[in-house]
Amino acid sequence: MALPAVADSLRIATYNTELARRGPGLLLRDITGGEDTQINAVITVLIHARPDIVALQGFDYDLTGAALAAFAKALEARGLHYPHQFALRPNTGMATGLDMDGDGRLGGQRDAQGFGAFSGQGGMAILSRYPVARDDVRDFSGLLWTDLPDATLPRTDAGPFPSAEAQAAQRLSTTGHWVVPIDVPDTGRITLLTYHATPPVFDGPEDRNGLRNADETRFWQLYLDGAFGPVVTDRLVLLGDANLDPDAGDGHRHVMRALLDDPRLTDPAPTSAGAAAGGDATDTADWDDPTPGNLRADYVLPSSDWTVTDSGVLWPLSADPLAETVATASRHRLVWVDLAR
């Protein structure tokens, strides 16, 4: 399965690698060891897709960036060079000291700002061939959910769920919401809007995760409206793992449909032969059948001023020699879009 090479275009991708490990430092250990089957499969997927810029999800964060640097070095050893690496501390695993899921206990993974066994588990990162304008990055990961305009916070008959105290401390972002400018020669500055939302499941009738997932995606339309300050309106790319399909599965699907229909953005609706063989050609995640089944969860949405020259989801047919590697790497598939000005 060969991806097309397009001259004078920029390939941007998103990929939930699912490389989260069970403890701090373990991802670095596994990368430097060089023998981890999943890590090697993820590297092969990236080598095959060869994006110029890729937003990663499910990648453990550490303060010094050691794991990300080691991962970039492993890619470079196989011919894919990303001299620019970027990551910020995510909300995953960030302790609150509060009962955030209403189970009456403290210190659980769901009591963190975002689900996680340790601070940084399953974070986000960006690998780029081009320099990140770090001084101009905007990080909205600290935004409180209550401060989002028209926030849809969970309630039960007893009142705010799980408590007013918890809601007052709860951040909107499960992992993060970043605005990351990147300076690309001959194109100029482009801006990535990237996030990784909570799955809209694993809760109760209060729909805490479903409501949070919806507001995490709705944030971006508010951002484009100028609700959080000045906005660059061209050369944008909104990308990440929304954990929300516009037509199937759990969650408030109308929120994703509204984002895809926003005239400021373009939905290339990338497809793959592998997804088509299982149902919807635009699906990006291979989850258990029949529930939740394959869904479209991962997106690359350029602003409408871009010309989309090609797009796809790296999900080959089962007979393809690459198929086993892709499945070993992650339940999510890499989504890519080629852009030109």
Side-chain angles (χ1 to χ4, degrees), residues 53-111:
I53 302 167
V54 58
L56 304 177
Q57 302 87 40
F59 194 98
D60 290 346
Y61 171 85
D62 60 79
L63 183 61
T64 65
L68 187 59
F71 189 65
K73 184 177 180 180
L75 286 164
E76 185 175 5
R78 293 186 55 185
L80 187 57
H81 185 36
Y82 290 118
H84 306 284
Q85 303 124 37
F86 178 80
L88 296 170
R89 183 186 180 187
N91 287 338
T92 50
M94 185 183 292
T96 65
L98 299 169
D99 177 11
M100 303 299 280
D101 62 352
D103 67 355
R105 298 188 295 272
L106 299 178
Q109 296 182 62
R110 292 184 173 87
D111 294 324

Side-chain angles (χ1 to χ4, degrees), residues 148-150 218-228 231 264:
L148 185 78
D150 299 318
R218 192 170 62 85
F219 168 90
W220 290 118
Q221 286 187 288
L222 292 168
Y223 170 81
L224 292 173
D225 289 341
F228 306 105
V231 178
R264 295 168 293 192

Side-chain angles (χ1 to χ4, degrees), residues 113-205:
Q113 285 289 358
F115 180 86
F118 61 90
S119 182
Q121 185 182 37
M124 308 191 304
I126 292 171
L127 297 175
S128 175
R129 290 177 56 200
Y130 311 112
V132 175
R134 294 173 179 267
D135 291 344
D136 295 327
V137 169
R138 300 183 70 192
D139 180 13
F140 292 97
S141 306
L143 178 71
L144 295 177
W145 191 0
T146 57
D147 290 339
L148 185 78
D150 299 318
T152 50
L153 294 157
R155 296 186 63 87
T156 66
D157 291 343
F161 180 89
S163 67
E165 182 184 21
Q167 285 195 3
Q170 178 68 74
R171 296 181 174 190
L172 171 67
S173 304
T174 301
T175 313
H177 282 78
W178 303 344
V179 177
V180 182
I182 297 177
D183 292 321
V184 180
D186 301 322
T187 297
R189 177 163 291 188
I190 72 168
T191 304
L192 304 186
L193 316 178
T194 191
Y195 74 130
H196 182 187
T198 188
V201 290
F202 310 122
D203 54 14

